[in-house]
Amino acid sequence: MFDPFEMGIEFFEGLMAIDEAIVERAAKEPCRDCGGPLYRGDHPRKPRGGLLGRAGEAFGRRFNLCCGREGCRRRAMPPSVRFLGRRVYVGAVVVVASAFALTTIAASAIVRSTGVPARTTRRWLRWWRGPFTTSRPFVELSARLVPALDRRRLPVSLLERLAGERSAAVAKLLAWLAPITTTSSPDGSRWVRAVM
């Protein structure tokens, strides 16, 4: 059984600090396309937190980099532990609500406890069991964890393996998932490893 827990402002401030460190590290490197300097070009997001992560809604800037060389101006979005790709909900809510939905039978209980529609959590669970299992982070995690993860119980089977209290386990899992939050920085996992 996985009980949802409310993530407070301190939790999201910690994730914000990790994202800041990642973007600072990424900005020190040149543009992958032309070798020009990278500058901050953050953009607003309107993240949802449901009942679990209302505090995460306050952190609505997605850190981004842009090449400063005229003619290139390519974007290089570093990985993030706050946002899980293009999903509207903050990453921590996706993890915790999915884990709770996996262990709860009644759809009304999921909505009442998390504030996330049952249809949304069902879609997330399909992602955990389908496309996520072919992603690079899952393959790397699977290689490190013996015995093998139970794919039918993702993300709970991952959270159970990560030591520490629930909020620390969620933060560790988000760090492992960070490389799949962007396609413009395929080698961005090294920035995450460097700051963790």
Side-chain angles (χ1 to χ4, degrees):
M1 180 76 176
F2 188 88
D3 292 326
F5 62 100
E6 186 172 342
M7 294 160 274
I9 193 83
E10 300 85 20
F11 176 78
F12 288 103
E13 285 175 345
L15 295 181
M16 179 87 139
I18 294 169
D19 274 1
E20 277 283 351
I22 291 170
V23 77
E24 285 173 16
R25 202 161 203 29
K28 291 178 182 174
E29 296 190 14
C31 174
R32 288 180 6 165
D33 295 316
C34 73
L38 295 174
Y39 298 106
R40 293 283 291 265
D42 302 346
H43 62 272
R45 292 271 311 255
K46 292 185 181 177
R48 291 185 194 163
L51 297 175
L52 303 173
R54 284 195 177 126
E57 294 176 4
F59 299 97
R61 299 227 33 101
R62 175 65 161 99
F63 301 143
N64 209 340
L65 298 169
C66 181
C67 180
R69 185 168 286 163
E70 194 62 43
C72 180
R73 309 293 288 170
R74 292 253 188 333
R75 292 211 172 262
M77 188 181 307
S80 173
V81 294
R82 291 177 300 142
F83 302 104
L84 195 53
R86 299 183 72 182
R87 287 171 181 78
V88 175
Y89 286 88
V90 291
V93 171
V94 174
V95 171
V96 173
S98 297
F100 183 67
L102 187 64
T103 60
T104 305
I105 296 171
S108 60
I110 296 168
V111 176
R112 222 177 16 259
S113 298
T114 65
V116 178
R119 184 172 151 197
T120 302
T121 54
R122 282 194 301 271
R123 187 174 62 247
W124 291 344
L125 289 174
R126 282 193 304 273
W127 176 79
W128 284 107
R129 293 178 190 140
F132 174 67
T133 60
T134 61
S135 69
R136 185 175 180 177
F138 178 77
V139 172
E140 289 175 5
L141 276 170
S142 296
R144 292 173 184 237
L145 299 174
V146 176
L149 292 166
D150 183 357
R151 292 178 183 216
R152 293 168 296 154
R153 293 187 59 238
L154 287 170
V156 173
S157 59
L158 273 169
L159 290 169
E160 290 172 346
R161 298 282 190 86
L162 298 171
E165 57 185 67
R166 289 183 296 180
S167 61
V170 169
K172 287 178 191 175
L173 179 55
L174 289 170
W176 276 104
L177 296 176
I180 63 175
T181 63
T182 181
T183 56
S184 64
S185 299
D187 55 348
S189 61
R190 61 193 164 92
W191 299 320
V192 178
R193 285 192 299 269
V195 300
M196 292 306 285

